Amino acid sequence: MLTTVPLHSPDFYAGDPYPAYRELRATTPVVYNDVTNFWALLKYEDIRYVSSHPQLFSSTKGITIPDPDQPEPVQEGALIFTDPPRHRQLRKLINTAFTRRQVALLEPKVRQIVYGIFEEVKSGSVQEFAESFAAPLPTRMIAELLGASPDDWERFRRWSDACTGTADPEIELDAMEAIGELFEYFQQLIADRRNEPRNDMMSVLAHAEVDGARLSDEDLLNFAFLLLVAGNETTRNLIALGTLALIEHPEQRQKLIDNPALIPNAVEEMLRYTSPVTHMARHATEDVEIRGQLIRKGETVVMLYGSANRDEEIFGDDAEEFNVERNPNPHIAFGCGEHSCIGAQLARLEARVFFEVLLGRYPKLELVGDVDRMRATMVPGVKRMPVRMEAGV
């Protein structure tokens, strides 16, 4: 079944895709896009099925919506582009730095960064929220985790933007040039940590061993790239879009002001409602049938998380509504199955602390201009979002 909905277009994801998702879920939940040739899945259970069957749906040939103007940026051997059993081995090693205990130890550093971001904000002032508030926390946190100099976080952001915003005309740095600069930087950092370990994640990973196996320099380079791009853009988008949801739903914002203990639950709802990562793709390893549609071996399957996270069969009649008290909330904003996001707990921590401080200091938030999104199919990040921030009375 074909669709005229432009599911291949960055402009579609930078706009409001949800009405189209709702229509497709009801009419053609497994639909073919013949512009760049892929199957799109819109239902929650179908996406869980694909995610939990890596033997049928492989990650090795690419994970993004096909774009004839851009070759699929596959990094062979990188965690996000591997299937079992290699994927499990890599993930086991990298997990040593992302246990719940390890992430909990980072809260003082997250708070320090967040307090610094809000330090000189005057009540009633209009701030460029995306640039000044949403962007610095994840980028600085990643620099901190990897043991990079705090002064380098702006370079990290530049590299990250270039790698995710390949379709955005405002981004001048070429993606391949950015990857080259990034790898050169991290090669030196890895060599330093191999020789002289410190108290940072790169040192932990450089010396981690599971069943006698260690990560190679190439593995570490691939991981540093993944952490920078995936951990930066997605959390930045969560913070910006989560704030926008609070502005657009003042009654929900008031619930969090009255009861800050609800903030962790609200972060889960922000993840569901905004779906910072729009999709992941897989390639069928054999002929597979989903809802009566035959997907042939080698064809691309795109899992639309934003649609799945508003599937009425899972989230009920109020699936399109933003509800900070929603419980249960089995969203798949972090993916699911083999490739569920390894940094999910860190993203949750960053968002929780950010919104505790934001709402504690500036409960009155008002959008005073247009929200400008990056042209990108996977993470159409917020580039500009002017917000007036006022303290309570």
Side-chain angles (χ1 to χ4, degrees), residues 133-197:
F133 296 88
L137 173 59
T139 322
R140 288 184 187 180
M141 199 62 213
I142 288 162
E144 177 78 23
L145 285 174
L146 292 173
S149 166
D151 298 335
D152 290 335
W153 77 275
E154 284 283 7
R155 295 167 71 189
F156 278 29
R157 184 163 64 171
R158 183 168 161 269
W159 293 331
S160 179
D161 284 350
C163 292
T164 56
T166 52
D168 195 295
E170 286 190 16
I171 295 173
E172 295 175 2
L173 181 63
D174 176 74
M176 295 313 294
E177 189 182 339
I179 291 170
E181 289 180 15
L182 186 154
F183 273 40
E184 187 179 334
Y185 178 95
F186 283 119
Q187 274 172 331
Q188 185 59 56
L189 190 68
I190 290 164
D192 290 346
R193 296 306 184 269
R194 292 257 195 233
N195 294 328
E196 195 179 322

Side-chain angles (χ1 to χ4, degrees), residues 35-36 66-71:
V35 180
T36 63
D67 180 351
D69 298 327
Q70 297 280 342

Side-chain angles (χ1 to χ4, degrees), residues 21 37 53 63 73 112-113 182 217 226 283 304 327:
Y21 286 161
N37 301 318
H53 288 82
I63 57 163
Q112 181 188 341
I113 294 171
L182 186 154
D217 283 7
L226 175 63
H283 291 81
L304 293 173
N327 186 31

